[in-house]
Structure formats: C-alpha cells, structure tokens
Amino acid sequence: MSGRTLIDVRDLWKSFGDNQVLKGISLELIEGETLVVLGPSGCGKSVLLKHIIGLLVPDRGEVLFCGRNIFDMSVKELGEARQHFGMVFQGAALFDSMTVGENIGLPAVERKGMRGQELETLIEDKLRLVGLEGLSGLRPSEISGGMKKRVALARAIALNPDIILYDEPTTGLDPIMAEQINELIRDTQNKLSATSIVVTHDLHSACFIGDRVALVESGRIEFVGSTDELMDTEDKAVRNFIARGRANLGPRESDRAGLH
Amino acid sequence: MDFFARIGQSAINMFGVVGASGIVFWRALISLRRLPRSTKLVVEQMQRIGIESLPLVVVTSIFTGAVASVQVSYQLKAYLPKAYLGTAIFKSVVIELGPVLTALVLGGRVGASIAAELGTMRVTEQIDAMEAMAIDPHRYLVMPRMLAALIMLPILTIIADTLGVGGGYVVSNVALDVSGKVFVDGMRTLFYAGDVLGGLVKACVFGLIIALMGCTAGLAARGGAVGVGRAATRAVVASCVLILVSDYVLTTLIYGIIFS
Ligand SMILES: Nc1ncnc2c1ncn2[C@@H]1O[C@H](COP(=O)(O)OP(=O)(O)OP(=O)(O)O)[C@@H](O)[C@H]1O
Ligand SMILES: [Mg+2]
C-alpha cells in the first residue's frame, strides 16, 4: 500500500452554532486502500465524510482531492470531482419518489444518458450484488430499513466509482447480511481497485475490511494506523474504545488485543 | 416588544427567501443549457402543476367572474348604461382578476407543495445524495419546476379568463337583466388584444415567482418536519407578496407606459 495520496484532509474545523464538532482533523487517504473510521456516536464521523465530498463547508481547513482544495473549486469542477465518488449515506437517503431501480439507475441515466436494456442490466446486476434481485419495481417506502441500506450501497457503486464513502453500511443489518456486505465491500475494493472510507462502529468489520484504521474521538483523530497496530497500541483512549467494543470482536482479534 | 420582534422576524424570514432566490434563479438559468436531457422532467412538472391545479382554477375563476359582474353592475347603476357591463367585466378579468387570482391560489397550492417536496428531500438528505452523485439539484429539480410554471401559468390564466368572463356572462343574463347580446356587444366595443396579452405576460412572471419561491424555501429547509412546514409557509408568503408587488410594477409598465 504505497500509492499516492488521493485525498488529503488538512486541519479541518467545523462548528454548528456552539457545538464544535471537528477540532482540527487531518487525514490522508492513499490510492487503493480501505480506511476505516471508528469512533463513538456523535463524534463527527458523518460530518467528516460530508466535508470530504464537499457537502459541508468547514470553518477552517481544506480537503485536497488530487492536490486541489475542493472548497476552492467552481461548481462545475466540484461536479466533475464528485463523479469519481460514490457515497452511502447513514440514513440511506433514497429518493422516495422513485422506485428502487430508478434510484440505482439515476446516476447512469443523468450522467451517462444510459437507457433501455443496458440500464435494466446494470440495475439487475447491482441488485443481485446486494441480494435484492427482482425488487427494482418497489418503492423505498415498501422495503425494510436494512434493504434500503443495501439499495443505497448498490446505488453508490452503480457507476464503479474510484472512491467510495460508506457511512455505516452494515448498521441495522442482521449478522449474516452484515457479513455479506462486508465481503461485498472487500470484493468491490479488489475488483474495481477502488479506494474507500468506511465509517463503522463495528470493530469486527473494521478488522475484516480495513487496511488502516482511524479512531475519531470528540472531533479529533485519536489514532491512525494499520489494523494490527490498532490492536497492539498502548494508547489509552484506543484501548478504552476497544475494550468497550470487545463484544464485537471475534476470538482472534480479541486475543490479540489481550482483552480476556 | 416580543410581539413586534416576532413581526420583525417574519419579515426577515420573508426577505431571506427573496434574497436567497437570486442565486437559485441564476443556477437554474445556467442549467437551461442541459434542457434537452431534462424535457421529460419538465413535462412531468407541467402535468403536475397544470392538471392538479385545474379544479381550483375553475372554481375560483367562475365565482370571481360572477362576483365581478354583480359588483360592476352595482357600481355602474346610475352613471353608465348596462351596455358597458360586458366591457368592464372583460377588461377587469383579463387584465387583473384572471392573472392575479390564478397566481395567488397557485402560489398557495403549487408553491407550498414544491417547498414541502424539496424541503423533505433536503431534511432527509436526498438533496445531499443528489449532489454527491454529481447531479445538480438546480438542473434536476429547480429548472423543470420553473419552466413548467412559466408555461402553465399563462395557460391556466387563459382558462381562468374564459371561465371568469363566462361566469360574468351567466350572472348578468340570469340575475342582472342584461341580455347575452348586450353583454357580448359591450365586450366587443372596446376590445383591445393588448389587454389579454398584458395579462398573460404577468402570468408568466407570476409563474416564475411561484416556482422560484417554492424551490428556494424548500432547498433552504432545515431541521425535520417543523422545518419543512416552515419552508412551505415561507414559500407561500414570499410568493404572494412578490406577486402583488410585481403586479403593481408590471401593470404600471405594461398599461401605463407601453400600451398608453
Ligand atoms: N447539519 C447539522 N446541523 C447541526 N449540527 C449537526 C449537523 N450535523 C451534525 N451535527 C452535530 O455534529 C455532531 C456529530 O454528528 P455526526 O453525525 O457526524 O456524528 P457521528 O459520528 O456520525 O455519529 P453516529 O455514529 O451516531 O452516526 C453531533 O453532535 C450533531 O449534533
Ligand atoms: Mg454518523
């Protein structure tokens, strides 16, 4: 894993009113890697992801995409940069006026002008990947929360983006489905040689899909390193976080972390 | 004090929407370049705005014409012959009542529904998701609504003019003792095509205002269901005020300067 830096987050600060959410986050994403972002609820993980794709504007700091600060880009340039991204929102964010199939096909229709059989095939392929084949005619209001999450995932990877941002892709899924989605994320990463950031609460998923892990606590990066380093570190905050997440660990990782 | 502070606050809210609409208008305008790819969206919106508003427009305009005819006949009574009843009704309907009342009822109906729809999309992150997939909501959502309203308002106004004059005709026949021939002759005596045309130009502008205020308020919505409700209210208030103000400006411009 020694590619070039694809995304460089530099000293990002963001507050909403009195609530200081990001307090100087710096993070690098290297081409081809999967970076897992861990952290307690409310620490600013989703806010961080939204900055990376330019949906939120920071009070201070920059996000360099291929060396250019996305907050300096024109609307047109930002649009072009975003074509390299796919994002799974924490709340799925499906378009509720469209069917599942139209949701997945929308980027292809609007950006590539794709139509007819080609479009149908694309939609069915992606639905099969997330285990929802044949459901393209349903509306988001007619499917379960976990199914929505999987449709959102299918929509994010529909056009084989270079960079995929996953905001808690397995939260709300049963363990077997979560395992399948983790495998899908890893496959996508291998097949498309995509670069990904995965936000999760789940240490087990983190160790399974991540090359590197970043731990965010109250708006700061507490730790960045490989998954092995995470388990071996002496850092107190990290060990604390791991201890709290112990229930999620498989025997191997739990053993490594010496938590028995 | 609190009372006046609240009045002040709602005035600020209203101007906020009007102010923010500038940039929304501009970005929708530039996205007209991509019109060919969006024709389907425009047609869809034309159907929604036009057909769904039709019953409301029909009822409003028939009764407006009926009331106008009673009013005019009462005011003409001692001063002018009844032959001028048709003239007065025709002119007041096509110049003022048709366009303005149609716009005001549509400002309520269409403006609120656009604001609620876009507002819901905003607070459920659907707009974020759209931007993240490099689809500009100004092109995909705003521009079709503006164009559709711009086209549909004059059409609805023509319907309202016809029905309004029709309502006046029926009432003068049945209740006011003015025969159909006298009414129509009265309409013909001072007929001037510019009157109708001026009213339709106003209708175009009102259409733009309604869609633009609805979109701007919707896109700016924040904070759950309450925020969506607030956005709908803002859209209606802002469009009604703007319609009345611009009606004064346009009437002065068209009938006071151009046609005088
Ligand atoms: N649009 C917003 N307006 C105001 N405050 C916000 C907004 N978005 C996030 N916040 C605040 O930012 C903080 C971090 O939120 P964020 O959604 O990033 O948490 P998170 O780390 O993703 O948590 P979780 O794991 O529960 O999803 C929260 O305190 C939240 O209240
Ligand atoms: Mg989150």
Side-chain angles (χ1 to χ4, degrees), chain A residues 98-147:
Chain A
M98 302 177 194
T99 64
V100 163
E102 285 165 345
N103 262 283
I104 297 173
L106 186 70
V109 171
E110 290 301 320
R111 270 163 41 188
K112 304 242 184 284
M114 201 185 275
R115 302 251 174 287
Q117 193 53 49
E118 191 187 6
L119 183 63
E120 295 302 314
T121 316
L122 175 83
I123 293 171
E124 270 314 308
D125 280 354
K126 298 301 166 186
L127 275 175
R128 194 170 317 110
L129 276 182
V130 295
L132 294 174
E133 52 269 65
L135 297 187
S136 76
L138 293 181
R139 301 216 163 242
S141 56
E142 297 167 325
I143 60 178
S144 77
M147 287 155 96

Side-chain angles (χ1 to χ4, degrees), chain A residues 218-257:
Chain A
S218 54
R220 291 195 184 82
I221 300 272
E222 204 59 55
F223 168 89
V224 195
S226 70
T227 41
D228 290 341
E229 283 164 12
L230 177 78
M231 291 307 163
D232 297 334
T233 180
E234 295 301 321
D235 187 298
K236 235 186 153 124
V238 179
R239 296 199 65 81
N240 233 327
F241 183 83
I242 295 174
R244 275 181 276 139
R246 177 168 48 178
N248 287 329
L249 287 182
R252 191 187 70 91
E253 293 96 338
S254 173
D255 201 27
R256 293 277 316 276

Side-chain angles (χ1 to χ4, degrees), chain B residues 5 19-20 29 42 44 65 92 113 126 142 159 161 179 185 192 197 225 242:
Chain B
L29 206 62
V42 178
E44 212 175 280
S92 57
S113 100
Q126 293 176 52
V142 178
I159 296 172
D161 286 353
S179 79
D185 281 347
Y192 178 40
L197 202 67
L242 269 193

Side-chain angles (χ1 to χ4, degrees), chain B residues 13-18 209-210 213-214 217 231-245:
Chain B
N13 286 344
M14 193 182 80
F15 288 118
V17 177
V18 177
I209 290 174
I210 292 168
M213 293 304 120
T233 313
R234 274 182 198 167
V236 175
V237 172
S239 58
C240 288
V241 171
L242 269 193
I243 285 169
L244 293 172
V245 173

Side-chain angles (χ1 to χ4, degrees), chain B residues 6 23 52 88 99 126 147 181 225 238-239:
Chain B
R6 280 170 71 176
I23 180 101
E52 288 172 21
Q126 293 176 52
L147 208 54
K181 184 169 179 326
S239 58

Side-chain angles (χ1 to χ4, degrees), chain A residues 40-47 49-50 89-91 167-168 199 201:
Chain A
S41 185
C43 68
K45 305 182 296 293
S46 300
V47 169
L49 279 196
K50 286 185 189 166
F89 284 75
Q90 188 167 3
D167 199 344
E168 308 199 9
V199 168
H201 288 290

